[in-house]
Each structure stands twice: as C-alpha cells, then as structure tokens.
Amino acid sequence: MPSEETNKSIASHSPCSSCCSAVSETSTLVYDHETWVDFVPHVHELCRQLWPSALENDEFVVEKLRGGSYNRIIGIKTPPSTGEAHGSYVLRIPRFEFAQQAREMAIVRYVRQHTSIPTAEIIFFDSTSENPLKAPYVVHSRIPGKDLQDIYRTLDHQNKLAIAEQWGNMLLSEFAIHNDFPGVVDATADDSGAHTYGFRPFEVDPEPEEERQDVRLLSKQTVLDMFILQFERWDAADKRAYPDDFPLDHLTQLTTVAKEMDAAGLFKDVGFSLCHLDLAPRNVMVKIESDSPAQISGVLDWDSAVFGPSFLACEPPSWIWAWSNYEDENDDQDEDYREIHANDTPATPEDQELKRRFEDVVGVDMLKFFYNPRYRLARSLFSLALNGLRSKDAFPKTECLIQEWERLQSKPTESSSAVDEATVSLQQASIDEALASSEDLEL
C-alpha cells in the first residue's frame, strides 16, 4: 500500500498536462472523484476560508500528491501574506463515507502529546460536508523530507546506522506508552478546543450498543482476557449476521491457541502498549542534510494504531540489515520469509553492524519479542482477533496458524528458522488453494 504523503508531487500548474490528466482520470474512475481540473477551484475556495488574511491577489499553490487507499491527498502552500501561517500543508479528504476521521485525528494528537515520535500537526479539521469541498477533510502540517522506502538503498553506512538507532528508539517510545486494557484512542473537545483522551473497544460489527458497553471491555485485562473477549464478540457477531453460514469452529480453535500460548508463558508480564501496526519504510519520512546524520522527520498513517499486546510493536525491521529481502513488499510469502529469517546472520560486516546497532538500542530483554517464532504467531493471532474472519483469506490463514502452532508445540527444541522454514510452502500453498477453489469464504 503506498504512502499517503510524498514529496514527489505534480503541481496543479505543471506543464505535464498528460501526466496530470492520467492520474486524475484514474482517481476519478476508481473512486468516483471530481476531475482534478474541476476540484482545484474548490480547494482554492477552502484555502481562502481557512487563511482569510491572504491578500486578494496572492495565490495559494495547490499540488496533487500521491494518495493512499483511503484518502485523497493535496499539497497546499500558503502565500507570505498569511503571516505565521505561511508554509506547506497537506489536505486529506477521505475516499469513503465510512472513514473515521475523528478517531484518526485523536490518535495523531495523542502521539504528539505523549511520545517523542515525530508526526504531523493537525491544523484544521471538519467532519461535516458543510464546506467548499462538500466533504470531510483534515489539514495538517507537511512533514519535510523524503520517503524512506525510496531512499534507503542510496544511504551510506553511517546514515543507515542512524536510521537503525532511531528506529529502535521509536519502537521503545511506543512500547513505553501503556494502558490497562486494549482498544483505540478516542477524544472529545471542549469549547476551548482542548482535547480529553479516552479509549474505546475494538470495533466488532454487528454488535448491539449494550454489548459494546460491556464493562469487561473497558476494565483492566490480561492479554488472554483480550483474546477470549474478542473471539467471543466475533462469534456472537457472526452468528447474528450469518446464522446459517458458520458450521466451523475456527474461533473456538483460536481461543484454544490463545490459552495454550498463555500457558506456555508468552503473555507473562506483557501489557498493552501503543502500536502503529503499519510502521514500515513507506510510512516514514527522512530528512537528510549534508552536515548531520539522516533524521526521521515524521511517521505517517496512524489510522490503524491501537493499544494492543506489547509484542505487536516488535515485528522485526529486518529491512534495516537485509534490504534486498524487502524490496518486493507486495509478496506475502516474502513477508513471511523476512520475519522468519530476521535473526539470521546478515551477509556482510556492514549489515551485521546495522543489526547489532538496532539490537543494542532495544536491549536484550526485548529481543525475544522480535525473534521468537511464537511471538510471530501471536501477532498473527491478534490480527484475527482484531478483524475477525470476514476476509476471503482469513480461514486458510487461521488453519495455517493452528497447524504451525501445533508444530512448534510438538518440536520445542527445534531451531526457529528450521520450524518456520518447514511451514512457509505449506502456508502459501494452503492459502492459494483456498482462494482459488472457494469463493464462498468471503462473507
């Protein structure tokens, strides 16, 4: 999934009209948007409303930025007459009506307030369609720098070491923000605009309001409590929505796996921490200056962030020391391969130093969360607990997870790479076969 913000932009006044129209046509066809030419005047009108101090003859520069799957992204440069507001901004318009902008803005503001992780600053926010765009929108500061995914290969060794160290510190920052129970950040604002932060349970649909208010969901929990509650909620929701279509007992089996993981000690002393869930190079901006090391200037796409088991924040960033394994990010088998082999000895002394630098930052006590294959399965189990079994590939992934957990349990002394390697082909083959032969799995 591409980053929602990049400095590779196409200006609205660019002479490359064919390039502009091609992008606009795709956006218009896929998302039923207004054409770019028709849309730009609405953006200018909005700018005049948001920055009324701009002189009548001053122009706002409006740019088309590469959008993501959920938001249309526009760059805005305000003129000098806007005073202290003179600068660069990003306008985000959700592509779909179900977008939860208020929650997304709450988590960004929460991160800015409670961590040292650099994020955009929210400047304006409208959750209604009572504006020139006729749509909800957010305006935030534009993060300086370049997309880490685009430039990492070109960095010299010292700059890569700087990124490895900063990445470890970002994960520790997430890990340090705790809550007594899992869920998502919510916020309310008073008349002065001050925000009060709260938390609410993960979404399960359909779920009656009285069940969503179950006191257990907003009370102190263990990680096992969370898994049991989530699978219970999804089981009830599935039976309400599809009473005749759930003869399988996958949710019961997943609950059993969670209990066995707990009995094996995986959840001992594990609490609930802030987790980005999509912290990857494509969502990180980096600023490079000639007289200083590369600096992470901002983290994007906090939309999916949650408070979840602390090991969620510990997916190993093996791209730091094994970039060649990361380049084809759309290949699911490669994703499995990268995590399975994350603790292999890197091929070169330079890559070995990158791995050591990251590990020195996070500390030896954290490494089990990154490299123990059981925690990889625990992260997969959380994904199913969060999203339920509503996608086409959820059932084959569930079956593969159960099989791999049983294999790990039966061979506790076998090396993690050997056990994992034995399941990769089986896992991918099972998913491919299920997707090809059973269109009925998507509900």
Side-chain angles (χ1 to χ4, degrees), residues 194-382:
H195 284 78
T196 301
Y197 297 99
F199 302 89
R200 57 185 176 80
F202 300 128
E203 292 289 336
V204 170
D205 184 47
E207 185 174 51
E209 183 62 29
E210 61 270 19
E211 293 190 18
R212 193 170 290 129
Q213 299 301 319
D214 187 335
V215 67
R216 295 178 300 167
L217 297 176
L218 297 178
S219 302
K220 186 176 178 63
Q221 297 175 34
T222 66
V223 173
L224 179 60
D225 291 337
M226 177 208 69
F227 278 119
I228 291 174
L229 277 170
Q230 277 300 106
F231 291 133
E232 282 181 358
R233 295 174 71 202
W234 278 116
D235 184 58
D238 289 340
K239 288 175 179 175
R240 278 191 294 268
Y242 313 102
D244 301 322
D245 295 333
F246 272 84
L248 305 177
D249 61 347
H250 286 71
L251 291 170
T252 300
Q253 291 176 297
L254 290 174
T255 300
T256 299
V257 170
K259 292 178 178 178
E260 290 175 353
M261 287 182 173
D262 183 64
L266 265 68
F267 305 154
K268 182 180 180 181
D269 299 324
V270 174
F272 300 107
S273 297
L274 178 66
C275 304
H276 184 287
L277 292 189
D278 195 17
L279 191 59
R282 63 182 175 272
N283 287 327
V284 173
M285 304 295 286
V286 173
K287 185 168 56 176
I288 301 176
E289 298 176 349
S290 58
D291 58 347
S292 60
Q295 183 72 31
I296 292 176
S297 54
V299 177
L300 310 172
D301 286 359
W302 287 91
D303 304 8
S304 61
V306 300
F307 273 86
S310 296
F311 51 74
L312 292 182
C314 299
E315 183 176 336
S318 58
W319 55 268
I320 292 175
W321 55 85
W323 181 259
S324 60
N325 291 338
Y326 182 79
E327 291 183 297
D328 188 2
E329 66 166 9
N330 294 316
D331 189 322
D332 289 338
Q333 187 167 356
D334 278 355
E335 290 180 5
D336 291 332
Y337 180 91
R338 286 193 297 271
E339 184 159 354
I340 286 167
H341 291 277
N343 201 28
D344 291 356
T345 300
T348 69
E350 292 80 7
D351 288 341
Q352 292 169 23
E353 185 179 11
L354 291 171
K355 186 171 184 285
R356 284 196 303 272
R357 177 65 62 87
F358 170 78
E359 292 171 350
D360 287 345
V361 171
V362 299
V364 65
D365 291 339
M366 293 277 288
L367 296 184
K368 65 181 181 181
F369 295 129
F370 289 95
Y371 299 138
N372 186 325
R374 288 168 174 78
Y375 283 109
R376 176 173 60 82
L377 293 186
R379 286 189 282 273
S380 297
L381 185 67
F382 175 82

Side-chain angles (χ1 to χ4, degrees), residues 93-108:
I93 306 106
R95 300 193 190 277
F96 308 107
E97 292 183 0
F98 59 77
Q100 297 179 325
Q101 277 192 301
R103 188 188 76 79
E104 294 163 11
M105 295 310 99
I107 185 61
V108 171

Side-chain angles (χ1 to χ4, degrees), residues 61-79:
V61 178
V62 177
E63 302 173 292
K64 181 185 299 180
L65 302 181
R66 185 177 65 192
S69 297
Y70 297 101
N71 291 277
R72 192 175 193 177
I73 309 297
I74 311 296
I76 297 172
K77 292 182 181 179
T78 57

Side-chain angles (χ1 to χ4, degrees), residues 250 384 389 391-403 426-435 438 441:
H250 286 71
L384 294 167
L389 306 184
S391 67
K392 182 180 295 186
D393 62 351
F395 286 98
K397 284 185 175 181
T398 295
E399 291 169 356
C400 290
L401 185 154
I402 292 169
Q403 291 175 27
L426 172 63
Q427 182 177 12
Q428 192 62 36
S430 298
I431 292 174
D432 290 345
E433 180 182 357
L435 296 183
S438 180
L441 288 177

